[in-house]
Amino acid sequence: YCIFQGPVVGIVLIDYFFVRRGNLYLPDLYRHSSTARYYFTKGFNIRAFAAFIVGSLLPLPGLIGSFGNSFSTAADHMFSLGWILSFLVGSLAYWILCALFKVPGDDASYGFEEKVAEAEEMICQGGDALSPSCEAKGDTSLQVEEIERNVI
């Protein structure tokens, strides 16, 4: 657990804060289509998978050595730093891969969380016209008022 969770957390943080700058397009998060910006390669993010492998490899000999057959003192020390080491290496690997191979979408072209207002508006309206689960709705303010009455 300790060396495998670090790269996952690092990849998620780098993707949100540095690659996409806090900008997400909500409908594409739930759309299983090759045109969605988070679909990547047949629904699989190869950059993230490669960064996960790279981040997990460095402390791996120490993990194996913790079961009884130690490889070396260096491997044991790297395993002691397991989560931090795998977090840093996985994060750096993902950031480099995203710089070399651009991610789809225009999220990085906006300022930090600049598209949050657009997402909040979309949530208040119940989705967008392209969402498969959303139907075209008329005046949403009446629907919001009705929901508020039922909740209270």
Side-chain angles (χ1 to χ4, degrees), residues 65-148:
S66 71
F67 292 109
N69 295 329
S70 181
F71 289 104
S72 68
T73 307
D76 293 339
H77 289 296
M78 281 193 283
F79 179 64
S80 297
L81 294 171
W83 197 91
I84 295 170
L85 184 63
S86 63
F87 171 81
L88 292 174
V89 172
S91 299
L92 183 63
Y94 186 70
W95 197 4
I96 290 169
L97 287 170
C98 287
L100 293 175
F101 308 102
K102 298 293 181 198
V103 296
D106 62 348
D107 298 327
S109 64
Y110 295 95
F112 184 73
E113 292 188 347
E114 194 173 312
K115 291 172 61 176
V116 169
E118 178 185 320
E120 288 174 343
E121 180 68 25
M122 197 175 297
I123 291 169
C124 290
Q125 292 180 358
D128 73 337
L130 299 175
S131 296
S133 60
C134 291
E135 298 172 3
K137 296 183 173 98
D139 184 12
T140 57
S141 62
L142 296 174
Q143 294 171 347
V144 170
E145 289 174 10
E146 182 180 332
I147 291 170
E148 289 174 349

Side-chain angles (χ1 to χ4, degrees), residues 14-81:
I14 291 294
D15 190 70
Y16 184 79
F17 287 103
F18 295 103
V19 175
R20 301 191 189 281
R21 296 184 186 159
N23 296 302
L24 300 174
Y25 186 66
L26 292 181
D28 278 358
L29 287 172
Y30 302 100
R31 193 172 292 129
H32 186 70
S33 166
S34 60
T35 60
R37 65 182 71 193
Y38 309 112
Y39 186 75
F40 296 103
T41 305
K42 297 186 180 183
F44 189 71
N45 187 347
I46 295 173
R47 294 172 204 82
F49 184 72
F52 173 78
I53 296 296
V54 169
S56 300
L57 282 179
L58 214 52
L60 187 63
L63 174 67
I64 295 168
S66 71
F67 292 109
N69 295 329
S70 181
F71 289 104
S72 68
T73 307
D76 293 339
H77 289 296
M78 281 193 283
F79 179 64
S80 297
L81 294 171

